[in-house]
Amino acid sequence: MPHSNTMFDAIVIGTGPGGEGAAMQLAKAGQNIAVIERYEHVGGGCTHWGTIPSKALRHSISRLIEYNESILFNQEDASRQLTFADIMSHASGVIRKQTKLRGSFYNRNRVTLIHGEATFIGQNTLSIKREDGTQETISGKQFVLATGSRPYTPPDIDFTHPRIYNSDTILSMQHDPQSIIIYGAGVIGTEYASIFRGMGVKVDLLNTQSRLLSFLDDEISDSLSYHLWNNGVVIKHNESYASVEAKDDCVILTTHSGKKMRADCLLFANGRSGNTEMLNLPEVGLEPDSRGQVRVNERYQTAAKHVFAVGDVIGYPSLASAAYNQGRFAAESMLADTDEHKSLVQDIPTGIYTIPEISSVGKTEQELTRDKVPYEVGRAQFKHLARAQIANTLVGSLKILFHRETKEILGIHCFGERASEIIHIGQAIMQQPGEQNTIEYFVNTTFNYPTMAEAYRVAALNGLNRVF
Ligand SMILES: Cc1cc2nc3c(=O)[nH]c(=O)nc-3n(C[C@H](O)[C@H](O)[C@H](O)COP(=O)(O)OP(=O)(O)OC[C@H]3O[C@@H](n4cnc5c(N)ncnc54)[C@H](O)[C@@H]3O)c2cc1C
């Protein structure tokens, strides 16, 4: 049905978490909105080539490792192996379910969903190009850009070669490599290093920085380095590629420091660019930066007052979790012209699904030391918890950083199985108002036993015992 005669209250571009968050909030407020999506299914990069597939892959690999290491279940001489295609089939099932569910949200809330690629052709008008080449124009009073990002692909590497992948194309990998070079040791690179190593693939992880995930607490970053190393991942820091040569049977990467490495394939996971090039943003007076990202204020409003932007297209923190809330709060700003929720962008937890998993919220030790905050540390090691012993998830720890005098919780850092779930207990207490956000909560409350949550009580007692 053509929509050219309708003036929508708002048009959202993109159906990832950012677009969905904005669209649902606007629709529930009774706005007449349209959502544009260029891919054949809703859900965005998050559902189809980012968060969901990588987490589903990781889950299968974790269970495989658990099975192989269990004397109780695996009594064979040899370890059980899975191919990339095997674990992708589980991931595809999850993607299908997620797509169906997310699609139902649009139907249920009577959102006009239009498939095609959106381009501004006027201050309030978009041209939508459908896959069959036909076009339509639609108009709206306000806009939300939620177009996400894509892997950065430098022009001197041949990404059309079947042995060279980025984090999108790796999902359609057809062969089973015995070795892989992963270039870029950020969140995506380290997560895929864990996945491939878990499948028994030899992994060379090339880091362009001097340490892994330097935004993490140093102890956690060191723990990740140790565990990847201990599992056989070869990590090289401070490296950058000089050339990548793709051959019929291998890929050869040469670094600027003169090293040469060969593997069955290469995963290039170094940097992402905002999806803005097709939007023709100059038409609304906007100029994306060199990374294709759009600048916004605390209300997620761009320099064009009727255009808002959320999610990966605005850069940091580039997380699905944050994108969804940004979308909701941008919608609230659009509806009520309010900046009430500007604190949202702070204190976002980090969840990194390496094996072992990592999660943290708040300050790191190095930040507190730099700021001369008198803090103390409380630690619990998973190996001492009954629940971890039962589940045989002994690797890991929980660390609570708190103010020596006020006992206020300043940061929580967790390493190990279920870290990304465990962190939310501490986050909830940390965000309590007034004096209720102290470490003392954890010693004055009763935890179910045996649980991993009990780590909070153990860490709190450990930390308070250090205060004199
Ligand atoms: C391998 C990987 C693992 C990740 N793991 C995690 C994780 O564990 N946790 C986490 O929180 N985050 C994770 N992320 C990040 C997360 O996926 C992104 O932060 C999130 O998807 C961003 O949401 P978004 O709504 O901004 O964009 P997206 O989810 O990318 O959606 C953007 C949508 O816009 C559409 N679009 C683009 N341009 C146009 C146009 N011109 N017209 C119409 N439609 C358009 C695209 O087709 C797409 O569907 C991961 C990312 C990757 C790549």
Side-chain angles (χ1 to χ4, degrees), residues 13-20 36-39 41-52 54-55 114 116-119 146-149 151 167-168 187-188 191-192 272 275-276 278-279 310-313 317-324 326 351-353:
I13 311 175
T15 61
E20 183 187 305
I36 321 297
E37 173 52 61
R38 70 176 170 194
Y39 188 58
H41 301 295
V42 299
C46 172
T47 302
H48 298 282
W49 48 88
T51 313
I52 296 297
S54 60
K55 261 74 273 181
I114 305 172
E117 189 160 66
T119 307
T147 50
S149 63
S167 60
D168 291 352
V187 174
I188 296 172
E191 286 186 2
Y192 271 108
R272 296 186 68 83
N275 290 328
T276 44
M278 298 308 292
L279 289 171
V310 297
D312 281 15
V313 77
S318 292
L319 288 171
S321 50
Y324 186 79
Q326 288 171 357
I352 301 166
Y353 298 82

Side-chain angles (χ1 to χ4, degrees), residues 284-468:
V284 285
L286 294 176
E287 199 56 60
D289 66 16
S290 58
R291 295 213 229 150
Q293 292 168 358
V294 182
R295 193 186 281 258
V296 290
N297 64 17
E298 287 175 325
R299 301 175 53 214
Y300 303 103
Q301 186 179 37
T302 68
K305 300 283 172 229
H306 66 308
V307 181
F308 291 71
V310 297
D312 281 15
V313 77
I314 64 169
Y316 177 84
S318 292
L319 288 171
S321 50
Y324 186 79
N325 281 336
Q326 288 171 357
R328 284 181 45 228
F329 292 119
E332 280 188 22
S333 293
M334 293 161 74
L335 290 165
D337 203 26
T338 170
D339 59 357
E340 230 170 72
H341 293 285
K342 63 187 177 190
S343 65
L344 182 81
V345 284
Q346 290 147 19
D347 272 345
I348 291 171
T350 310
I352 301 166
Y353 298 82
T354 42
I355 302 173
E357 200 167 297
I358 294 170
S359 195
S360 60
V361 63
K363 302 279 187 216
T364 61
E365 285 205 57
Q366 56 271 27
E367 284 170 336
L368 293 173
T369 303
R370 181 200 62 202
D371 297 343
K372 299 192 167 50
V373 177
Y375 72 91
E376 196 43 89
V377 186
R379 282 196 181 80
Q381 291 194 302
F382 285 7
K383 64 184 175 193
H384 297 142
L385 301 176
R387 183 61 182 254
Q389 290 167 0
I390 293 166
N392 198 24
T393 50
L394 302 177
V395 169
S397 68
L398 176 76
K399 168 162 100 170
I400 307 176
L401 307 178
F402 64 100
H403 196 286
R404 269 189 85 87
E405 280 123 42
T406 65
K407 313 287 186 303
E408 181 191 352
I409 304 165
L410 304 168
I412 305 175
H413 305 276
C414 190
F415 184 82
E417 186 70 9
R418 309 257 169 217
S420 58
E421 303 279 355
I422 293 168
I423 205 78
H424 290 301
I425 300 165
Q427 182 195 25
I429 302 307
M430 210 175 148
Q431 288 178 352
Q432 293 304 306
E435 287 166 15
Q436 294 166 40
N437 61 357
T438 70
I439 193 170
E440 282 154 335
Y441 171 86
F442 300 121
V443 289
N444 295 331
T445 200
T446 305
F447 285 91
N448 281 332
Y449 180 81
T451 54
M452 294 306 287
E454 201 208 346
Y456 280 98
R457 188 179 56 78
V458 175
L461 285 169
N462 173 268
L464 288 169
N465 283 341
R466 289 168 184 271
V467 180
F468 53 88

